[in-house]
């Protein structure tokens, strides 16, 4: 499954249901937690040329464009890109989309962007160092990289919740932190109606340590300027009570900002 062709196949298979679910509002983690936190930590992109690594069906990319940036989106899944292009055709924001891997030369010129952004995508690709090299190649001097991933110290292959005898969640079990064996994770959005019969998504996962992420950024030539480990807001926890586990017991999200000197 480490081959990029296999990764693309899984995301092509996921694309239709994923697009339907995201646009129907079933991805409450994205809508109420991970993407708002990403935007809060994001430096200004107004008037900048920005490329979105792993743009998927384009919902986040469209928000970046609405902030006044000139957007390009790339994704390894041709089906995801097709959904993104359809949204662009229906409501043009000037976004250009390309089917390409963010870990290889994507075919765009050197130093053609002011910012590289990536929301919850880099943990799903097999070549993180390649992605960092490609981001560095594409950025102009003083351009910045801003990405979010599942927090590698807490979202491990051996993750599990601890409960007391009354069934209340009291702790987070972290295990197999150094196990980097890639695997397929099967799940569906938790807010999807339970009585609807859908095939679970098959999501490629490539576990890494915190040092893997930070060293890949530094090795590519970036200077890390900020690290964020945001908690869900109190309001988000009121709306989705299970979020409180990630406010009280462990970190779900890691956001890294770095600059090309």
């Amino acid at each position: 499954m480490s081959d990029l062709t296999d990764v693309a196949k899984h995301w092509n298979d996921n694309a239709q249901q994923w697009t339907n679910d995201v646009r129907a509002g079933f991805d409450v983690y994205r809508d109420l937690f991970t993407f708002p936190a990403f935007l809060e930590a994001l430096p200004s992109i107004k008037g900048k040329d920005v490329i979105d690594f792993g743009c998927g069906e384009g919902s986040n990319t469209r928000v970046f464009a609405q902030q006044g940036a000139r957007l390009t989106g790339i994704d390894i899944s041709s089906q995801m890109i097709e959904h993104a292009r359809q949204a662009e055709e229906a409501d043009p924001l000037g976004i250009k989309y390309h089917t390409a891997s963010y870990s290889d030369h994507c075919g765009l010129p050197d130093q053609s962007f002011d910012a590289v952004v990536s929301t919850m995508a880099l943990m799903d690709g097999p070549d993180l160092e390649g992605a960092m090299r490609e981001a560095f190649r594409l950025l102009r001097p003083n351009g910045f990289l801003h990405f979010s991933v599942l927090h590698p110290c807490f979202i491990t292959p051996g993750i599990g919740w601890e409960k007391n005898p009354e069934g209340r969640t009291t702790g987070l079990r972290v295990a197999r932190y150094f196990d980097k064996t890639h695997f397929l994770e099967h799940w569906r959005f938790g807010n999807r109606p339970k009585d609807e019969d859908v095939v679970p998504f098959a999501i490629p996962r490539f576990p890494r340590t915190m040092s893997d992420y930070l060293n890949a950024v530094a090795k590519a030539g970036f200077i890390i300027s900020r690290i964020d480990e945001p908690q869900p807001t109190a309001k988000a926890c009121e709306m989705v009570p299970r979020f409180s586990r990630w406010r009280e017991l462990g970190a779900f999200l890691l956001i890294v900002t770095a600059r090309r000197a």
Side-chain angles (χ1 to χ4, degrees):
M1 198 203 53
S2 61
D3 185 87
L4 288 173
T5 303
D6 292 334
V7 174
K9 180 184 182 304
H10 286 299
W11 280 109
N12 281 335
D13 291 343
N14 293 331
Q16 184 65 63
Q17 192 64 55
W18 185 277
T19 300
N20 293 345
D21 286 2
V22 166
R23 296 180 184 177
F26 295 143
D27 189 356
V28 292
Y29 270 85
R30 180 211 299 240
D31 294 341
L32 300 178
F33 177 22
T34 64
F35 194 52
F38 186 93
L39 292 176
E40 183 176 355
L42 178 66
S44 175
I45 57 174
K46 185 176 181 180
K48 297 184 182 298
D49 295 309
V50 179
I51 185 168
D52 187 1
F53 276 18
C55 65
E57 46 74 47
S59 289
N60 294 353
T61 318
R62 294 181 64 78
V63 174
F64 298 137
Q66 290 163 353
Q67 293 192 346
R70 296 176 293 274
L71 259 294
T72 298
I74 62 171
D75 199 281
I76 198 170
S77 166
S78 60
Q79 294 301 308
M80 286 288 197
I81 289 294
E82 181 58 30
H83 288 298
R85 286 174 174 158
Q86 289 173 4
E88 173 65 17
E89 290 171 4
D91 183 15
L93 294 173
I95 304 171
K96 301 175 182 177
Y97 289 106
H98 303 278
T99 303
S101 167
Y102 54 58
S103 296
D104 294 328
H105 195 299
C106 67
L108 298 170
D110 293 358
Q111 298 187 20
S112 51
F113 294 95
D114 302 301
V116 174
V117 296
S118 182
T119 57
M120 306 300 282
L122 293 175
M123 69 272 185
D124 298 337
D127 186 4
L128 178 65
E129 289 191 359
M132 294 300 97
R133 290 192 299 269
E134 181 65 354
F136 192 87
R137 181 188 72 80
L138 290 169
L139 281 174
R140 296 167 182 142
N142 205 39
F144 69 86
L145 164 71
H146 187 72
F147 71 84
S148 62
V149 292
L150 293 172
H151 200 301
C153 298
F154 297 90
I155 312 296
T156 67
I159 187 174
W161 294 105
E162 303 290 344
K163 296 181 182 292
N164 64 15
E166 290 74 41
R168 180 175 176 271
T169 302
T170 57
L172 174 64
R173 182 182 71 248
V174 174
R176 294 164 56 200
Y177 175 63
F178 293 103
D179 183 353
K180 300 179 185 179
T181 306
H182 45 262
F183 63 96
L184 275 178
E185 183 180 14
H186 298 272
W187 55 272
R188 48 184 261 167
F189 289 122
N191 272 45
R192 200 171 213 303
K194 304 300 183 186
D195 59 348
E196 292 188 14
D197 185 19
V198 296
V199 177
F201 302 122
I203 310 295
R205 295 297 192 210
F206 298 87
R208 299 183 176 96
T209 63
M210 176 74 87
S211 60
D212 289 332
Y213 281 105
L214 301 186
N215 287 335
V217 175
K219 184 177 179 180
F222 288 104
I223 298 172
I224 297 172
S225 56
R226 178 169 172 167
I227 301 291
D228 288 280
E229 299 169 290
Q231 298 168 282
T233 64
K235 182 178 180 180
C237 292
E238 289 179 9
M239 297 176 69
V240 185
R242 68 181 182 274
F243 282 7
S244 61
R245 299 178 301 181
W246 295 111
R247 185 174 173 86
E248 301 167 0
L249 303 176
F252 182 82
L253 188 64
L254 175 70
I255 301 176
V256 177
T257 310
R259 291 195 174 272
R260 172 171 176 162

